[in-house]
Amino acid sequence: MNPSLILAIAAMLGPAALPAGAHGLPGGTAALPLVADATAAGPAAGGTLAGQVLGQMISQATDGTYPGLDLRLVTDPLPVSGQAGAYLAARQAAAENDFAAAARYFVAAVEADPDDEFLQDGAIVSLVSAGMVDQAVALADRIAAGSETGDGTELAALLRRVDRARAEDWPAVLEMLDTMPADPSAGGPLLDGLFRAWALMGAGRAGDAFALLEQMGKEPGAGGMAQFQLALAKASVGDYEGAARLLENPVASTHLQGLTARVQVLSQLERNDQALALFEPLDRIEDEPQLAALRDRLAAGERLQFDVIANAREGLAQVLVTFGGALMGGQETDPLALLYARLAQYLDPDEPDARLLSAQLLMTAGQFDLAEREYDALRETGQMRPVSELARIDTLARADRLDDAEAAARALTENYPQLAQGWVSLGDVLRQNDSFAEAVPAYDRALEILRAQEDPQASWFALYARGISRERSGDYDGADADFQAALELQPDQAPILNYLGYSWVDRNMRLDEALALIERAVELRPDDGYILDSLAWAYYRLGRFADAVAPMERAVAVMSEDSLVNDHMGDIYWMAGRKREAEIQWQRAQSLYKPEDTDTDLPRIRAKLHVGLDAVLNAEAENGGTLPEGFGLPPEPEDGADTGDGGGDGAPDDASDG
C-alpha cells in the first residue's frame, strides 16, 4: 500500500472519532467554513461522478437514509477559491469520521485533481465507509481507465475485484489477480491467495482451489484462516469428511462461524452426538440464540443442513468478514476493518456477520445513525444477536444517547424476554437516566429469570443494581434487603460494601456498622475516590472530624472536579476548625456544580457560604432535618444596590472567624 492510501484510510477511522451531536448539529455533522468549490461538483455537474454522488446524497438526506447528514454541507457550500477548499473540508470530515460528508468533498477534490492518488483513495474509503459502494466502484473503474497500468491504486483494484466477484465473473477476477501483485500492507499474499482460491472455486476449478488453500495453510500465521476457508470450500461441494477433519483443528473452528460450520458438517455426517458434545463446555449459550437453536435441533434428532455458505461469492464474503473481524480487536481498530466489512456486505447483502461487523465498527467510529441502519436491518430480518445488542446498548449509553439505548434495550427484551441480561441492561439504562422507579421492575424481571437458574451467584449484580434503584426511589428497606442479599453472595464486592455503608451514613443510622463496611471497601479499593469520600463522611457523622480530614483530602485529590466531594471537604474542614479553607471548598463546589449533579445541594452550599455551617445545621434541626427554603441566602438586591459580597458567590466578611 502506498503512503497516500495509508494516510487516506488513517484519516477515516483515527482516534479523533467524535460522538454524535458534538458540534450541535444532527448526527455530529460539523458546520465548517471548509467546503468545496461549488464549481467543482455542484448541481450543474450532474454528468460527473461528483454530480452523481451529490444527487444520491441529497436524496438520502431527505428520504431518511442518512438522517444525520446536514444538507447545508451538500447543497449550500460556501465558495472557497482554488482547489484547497474541497481537500481541507474532506480531511476535516474524515478526521471526525463523518463519512458521508468526507465522500462528498473527496469526490469533489478528485474532480479538481483526477491524478492525485491520495484523493482517489480518500474518496474510495469515504464512499465505502458510508455504504455507497456502487459509487466507489464507479470511481475505481474511472481510476483504472485513466491509469497507465490499467489498475490504478491497489485499493481501486481491490474494489474492482470485489465488484467482478459480486457479478460472479470469476475469469475476470483471476485475470485481475494476475496483473497486479499483492501488496503486504493491503492484505498481501494472504488476502490475494484466499481471493484466488474462491475465484477458482467459482470458476469450477475446485481441485486447484484446494491445492492452493492447502499450501497456504502451511504458511506461518495463516494456517487457521486458510484451513477454515478450505473446510468451507470442501463442505460447499459436499466433501463433509474432509471438512470435518479440518475443523477438528481448534484454530480453524473456535469462533462462532467455525463452530456453526463444524456442527452442521458433523450433522450431515449423521454424527449428531459428536456435534452436541461441542456445546457442553460453552457458558451462557442462551445468550447466543443461534447456537442454542442448533443445539436444540440436534437434540431433536434433526439432520442440519450446511448453510454457512452456498457458493464462492459467499465464501469470499466470509474471507472479508474474517479479515475485518481480525482487524477490529486490540487497543485501536485498524482502519481497514470497516472497509472489509462494507465490501463483505456488498458481496453478500444477506450475510448477517458482515452487517453486524459494519454496525459495530460504525459505533466505534461514533457514527451512530449509520450504525442504527444496520442494526435495524438485522432486527427486521430476525438476525438480532443478544451479545452484540448488549454491547451496542452499552456503547450508546456511554455516548449519552440514553433514549436510543433505552429503545434498543426495550427491543432486546421484547425479542428475547427470557434473556436476563437484557432486562439488566434496560434497568441500567433507566438508572443512568435517573428513572430509578422505572428501573426496579426491569431488575425484578431479571431476578425472576436468574433465580430459576442453577447458579445463585448469577443474581448478585441484579440485586445490587435494584438496591441502588430502590434507595434512590426512597424505598430504603427494600434497598437494604437487596444490598445485604447481594453481599451474602459477594461479600468482597467493594461497590456493594460502599453503597450500603454510605446509604446508612447518609441517613445517619447504623453508623458503626456502616463504618465497618466502608473500611472493608477501602481495603479492597484503597484509591477509589468515591469510597474514600464515604469513609470520610462516616467519620464526619460519628463526630471524628480530625480522622475525616485525611481520607477526604485524598478523595478530593482523586476527584477534584466533583462538586459533592468538594462540598463534603468544606463541611469537614469547618467542623475541624479550618473555616476559611471550608469556605474555599464550598466556593469551589459551587463553581463546579452542574444540573446533573443531583446529589449536590446547591442552595445548602450557598447558605453555608453566607451564614456558616453551624447556622445551617441548627436551622435543619429545628425544621425536622431539612433546610427551610431560602434560609441563609442574601436578600434579593434592590435595583442598583450593591450586596457587598461580590454578587453572592463568596461569604460576607462576618461569615467566618477563620
Side-chain angles (χ1 to χ4, degrees):
M1 182 184 297
N2 59 41
S4 66
L5 174 56
I6 295 172
L7 288 172
I9 295 175
M12 299 308 304
L13 280 174
L18 298 179
H23 296 282
L25 295 172
T29 306
L32 297 170
L34 302 174
V35 295
D37 187 339
T39 62
T48 66
L49 180 68
Q52 296 167 19
V53 172
L54 174 60
Q56 178 168 339
M57 292 179 74
I58 292 173
S59 172
Q60 292 177 325
T62 54
D63 70 9
T65 302
Y66 292 140
L69 181 59
D70 185 356
L71 272 175
R72 289 176 293 175
L73 286 173
V74 181
T75 61
D76 192 25
L78 297 175
V80 177
S81 60
Q83 300 174 2
Y87 168 74
L88 292 172
R91 289 297 301 271
Q92 182 68 40
E96 296 172 0
N97 292 333
D98 190 348
F99 304 129
R104 185 262 189 276
Y105 290 123
F106 267 123
V107 170
V110 170
E111 292 290 343
D113 187 358
D115 297 324
D116 189 302
E117 291 188 353
F118 174 87
L119 298 177
Q120 292 170 358
D121 286 336
I124 288 173
V125 171
S126 304
L127 289 165
V128 173
S129 298
M132 302 168 69
V133 185
D134 286 327
Q135 286 74 17
V137 170
L139 176 57
D141 284 338
R142 283 183 54 194
I143 292 169
S147 168
E148 293 181 2
T149 64
D151 294 304
T153 67
E154 57 263 24
L155 183 54
L158 174 62
L159 252 70
R160 296 178 68 237
R161 289 201 302 268
V162 169
D163 183 61
R164 302 321 183 257
R166 185 175 187 243
E168 300 187 333
D169 185 354
W170 301 112
V173 172
L174 290 168
E175 182 180 355
M176 289 178 174
L177 287 165
D178 289 336
T179 58
M180 190 165 190
D183 187 291
S185 62
L190 178 58
L191 178 59
D192 280 7
L194 295 172
F195 221 112
R196 184 182 297 276
W198 282 110
L200 290 168
M201 289 291 297
R205 297 165 56 185
D208 292 339
F210 295 165
L212 174 58
L213 288 169
E214 287 171 0
Q215 181 61 38
M216 292 179 64
K218 300 174 183 177
E219 297 294 328
M225 190 176 295
Q227 285 189 27
F228 176 57
Q229 297 300 321
L230 179 56
L232 295 182
K234 285 181 176 289
S236 71
V237 294
D239 182 4
Y240 297 118
E241 287 285 0
R245 285 193 296 271
L246 289 161
L247 292 170
E248 289 175 0
N249 187 342
V251 299
S253 60
T254 51
H255 47 82
L256 182 60
Q257 284 293 68
L259 178 61
T260 302
R262 190 178 181 192
V263 164
Q264 292 178 349
V265 163
L266 288 171
S267 186
Q268 280 292 305
L269 293 169
E270 299 184 347
R271 291 153 59 180
N272 277 19
D273 54 341
Q274 294 180 32
L276 274 170
L278 298 175
F279 293 100
E280 292 177 2
L282 301 181
D283 293 328
R284 296 175 58 179
I285 190 174
E286 303 302 334
D287 290 355
E288 282 287 1
Q290 172 185 339
L291 291 180
L294 289 176
R295 178 200 59 190
D296 295 343
R297 290 167 62 193
L298 287 169
E302 182 178 342
R303 186 179 183 185
L304 303 182
Q305 197 173 19
F306 178 79
D307 61 4
V308 175
I309 62 164
N311 51 46
R313 177 177 53 81
E314 293 181 9
L316 186 53
Q318 280 293 329
V319 169
L320 293 170
V321 169
T322 302
F323 266 73
L327 295 175
M328 186 179 179
Q331 294 183 341
E332 187 173 330
T333 296
D334 191 291
L336 284 171
L338 180 57
L339 188 81
Y340 289 137
R342 287 296 208 186
L343 292 180
Q345 278 185 272
Y346 183 69
L347 269 176
D348 186 4
D350 297 326
E351 168 51 59
D353 288 328
R355 190 177 296 278
L356 177 59
L357 181 60
S358 292
Q360 292 171 330
L361 289 164
L362 288 165
M363 293 281 284
T364 300
Q367 293 301 302
F368 299 104
D369 293 328
L370 288 177
E372 286 304 306
R373 291 179 56 211
E374 308 305 332
Y375 282 116
D376 287 343
L378 287 168
R379 282 196 298 273
E380 289 169 6
T381 56
Q383 295 168 327
M384 177 189 292
R385 290 188 180 169
V387 172
S388 65
E389 285 293 302
L390 291 168
R392 170 189 169 217
I393 293 163
D394 180 66
T395 301
L396 287 168
R398 290 175 185 273
D400 207 28
R401 294 173 64 103
L402 295 178
D403 290 342
D404 292 337
E406 181 181 341
R410 291 192 183 281
L412 180 59
T413 57
E414 181 178 343
N415 283 273
Y416 297 98
Q418 293 303 310
L419 182 67
Q421 287 304 311
W423 293 102
V424 170
S425 181
L426 175 58
D428 289 347
V429 172
L430 291 168
R431 186 160 51 88
Q432 186 174 336
N433 207 22
D434 294 338
S435 299
F436 299 106
E438 289 183 59
V440 171
Y443 293 125
D444 289 344
R445 182 70 185 109
L447 285 165
E448 288 177 16
I449 299 168
L450 291 168
R451 284 167 174 161
Q453 299 177 7
E454 296 181 2
D455 182 10
Q457 289 291 336
S459 63
W460 78 263
F461 181 81
L463 284 166
Y464 167 57
R466 188 176 68 176
I468 294 173
S469 301
R470 283 177 160 175
E471 190 268 343
R472 298 303 296 270
S473 302
D475 178 9
Y476 300 116
D477 291 340
D480 288 354
D482 279 345
F483 289 138
Q484 289 170 317
L487 275 179
E488 287 182 13
L489 297 171
Q490 292 284 322
D492 288 330
Q493 278 288 342
I496 308 175
L497 292 162
N498 177 62
Y499 207 107
L500 178 57
Y502 184 81
S503 69
W504 286 344
V505 168
D506 198 45
R507 285 177 275 156
N508 210 14
M509 59 179 287
R510 302 176 70 166
L511 296 179
D512 290 327
E513 294 175 76
L515 178 60
L517 292 173
I518 296 168
E519 286 176 334
R520 176 58 182 150
V522 171
E523 290 177 11
L524 295 166
R525 292 192 183 179
D527 298 319
D528 188 306
Y530 290 106
I531 298 176
L532 290 168
D533 173 73
S534 298
L535 177 62
W537 206 237
Y539 286 141
Y540 173 89
R541 291 292 198 191
L542 288 164
R544 296 168 57 179
F545 305 121
D547 292 334
V549 170
M552 197 71 245
E553 287 178 337
R554 288 171 60 199
V556 169
V558 175
M559 305 170 62
S560 60
E561 302 301 311
D562 188 287
S563 61
L564 182 62
V565 170
N566 282 275
D567 181 29
H568 283 174
M569 185 79 261
D571 287 12
I572 289 170
Y573 275 152
W574 181 279
M575 299 305 288
R578 298 163 62 174
K579 296 186 176 180
R580 184 55 188 159
E581 291 171 271
E583 292 164 8
I584 293 171
Q585 291 301 138
W586 291 329
Q587 288 168 350
R588 179 166 174 76
Q590 181 176 247
S591 69
L592 292 170
Y593 176 81
K594 301 178 293 294
E596 57 266 29
D597 294 348
T598 54
D599 289 335
T600 302
D601 191 338
L602 187 59
R604 191 173 189 270
I605 293 174
R606 289 172 174 164
K608 288 184 291 189
L609 281 167
H610 285 279
V611 300
L613 179 58
D614 296 336
V616 167
L617 292 174
N618 289 334
E620 288 173 338
E622 294 172 0
N623 194 50
T626 61
L627 191 67
E629 186 175 352
F631 176 84
L633 300 184
E636 292 292 331
E638 298 179 3
D639 291 344
D642 184 355
T643 62
D645 65 355
D649 290 334
D653 292 340
D654 60 353
S656 169
D657 61 4

